[in-house]
Amino acid sequence: MSERPYPDAVDVVIVGSGPTGAAYARILGERAPDAVIAMFEVGPTVSDPPGAHVKNIEDSARRTAAQLASQGPAASAETVSNPGAVKSGQRLARAGTFLLEEGYQYPDEDGLPVAAMSSNVGGMAAHWTAACPRPGGAERIPFLPDLDELLDDAERLLGVTTNAFDGSPFGDLVRERLAKAVDAGRIDATRVQRMPLAVHRREDGRLVWSGSDVVLGDVSRDNPNFALYDESLVTRVLVDDGRAVGVEVRDMHSGAVHTVTASFVVVAGDALRTPQLLWASGIRPAALGRYLNDQAQIVFAVRLRDVPSLAAEVPADGTLAEYSGVSWVPFTDDVPFHGQVMQLDASPVPLAEDDPVQPGSIVGLGLFCAKDLQRDDRVEFDDARRDAYGLPAIGIHYRLTDADRAVLARAQQEIVRLGVAVGDPLDPRPFTMPLGASLHYQGTTRMGQRDDGESVCDADSQVWGTRGLFVAGNGVIPTATACNPTLTSVALAVRGARRIAAALAAGMPVHAEDVAYVENQH
């Protein structure tokens, strides 16, 4: 098999094609259009355009094939399309993702039994729910004075809207009933509202869900200096005299290994594999892999009470969809949950055959809980064992604290209260999802204000002690969040990409002590 024509040298290497890697490519294309950029993705291209959400693939057989191709070393494993179908004790991944074969739980620890990843162009953004709420209260990063402006730009890149489901049945009714149970004493920003979603409707009424393709945009696709290489595994970041100078990349087809030199390297994988690559490269800050946090998730389903009948046939124009009528109950410091409330076309639990389901009348409620951050909650790597890609095997140490269990117990009570306010429960008890089910892992490459052993990178996402090396993804978020993290991680990627663009424009390398740039930005 012939070898692929990888470049010998570029200005910027981006490892990973998820929304944060795509954000780096987009911002660099806008601010440093002459920069030569190579993006490497271990998985295949599963959509046209590359990086698109698989829900946009109308043919069900092609959609299923795209999901299977995204499951990396577990392409033949059993999966579930509805995560609510996972029962206690089961280890099943969502379609399009794959689980760790081992190392997900150690004796006397809670672990993350269903910690999952995707390997495909677009990463998890080819499979996500596209929820993009803003962080609030303690979720926010206190040392970023420009956070709101960065979130604005992240919304632009992701194509966030709040009106895509204005035509969905009963959405206003759900929010009205939730508001009566929630809004008292809350400020406007934390009251019940439409969920911000990375989705829009075409003129024909069909939904278009944002993936990395939307983040990349025409700016990247039309950029002759940008190239995306799929099925290309970066095995090592190269460092010389304390500076990242390139990567080693393996062609997954031929097995050949190439060296690509670069002025800057951005590792934009998930919160498990980004620290894995740094570890494999001998880049090992004290906090690498630590402060791992997931969002424990409680789900509950109800049938709306007292709703008018709809037409017998469900419209085919996209008005009803799997996540129609998505509503948001924001996190607050006093109520440390993030609520995602979705009208479902069908019940998430079996109903009797003689019990017909009114379209739009089944509502699924989910509460995500903020974690009590602990340094010992971590992902670690075993140089003596190798994973399916030949990198040091991943192991996860993870425990729920007494504070976590108290929040979970409170969430179980709260979700029933909210559900009863909306409708009649389909099951009297809420279900606690297996740990890891949120797919919202964070903290393992967390940013900080100083190199004190408690963070991996600075406020611009440059790794402490390795100039020119940046990290991206949910792992960079340093706070305990309950809301979906993608919008925040894209906002942080925007900040890092601006830093690189400024350095390229000035014709100088990025240094942690680059005071002039920092002062200009703040």
Side-chain angles (χ1 to χ4, degrees), residues 411-480:
Q412 289 167 342
Q413 294 180 332
E414 178 69 1
I415 202 168
V416 172
R417 187 181 76 86
L418 298 182
V420 170
V422 170
D424 299 320
L426 298 181
D427 189 302
R429 294 172 298 179
F431 176 62
T432 301
M433 298 290 286
L435 293 178
S438 78
L439 307 180
H440 295 168
Y441 326 125
Q442 300 165 60
T444 54
T445 53
R446 67 202 307 250
M447 66 166 46
Q449 292 179 278
R450 59 191 64 86
D451 185 6
D452 58 2
E454 296 301 307
S455 60
V456 172
C457 64
D458 66 17
D460 291 317
S461 301
Q462 184 175 208
V463 174
W464 298 117
T466 308
R467 300 183 305 278
L469 175 61
F470 290 71
V471 284
N474 294 341
V476 178
I477 299 173
T479 53

Side-chain angles (χ1 to χ4, degrees), residues 400-413:
L400 296 181
T401 67
D402 289 343
D404 289 324
R405 297 186 190 281
V407 169
L408 270 170
R410 185 178 169 191
Q412 289 167 342
Q413 294 180 332

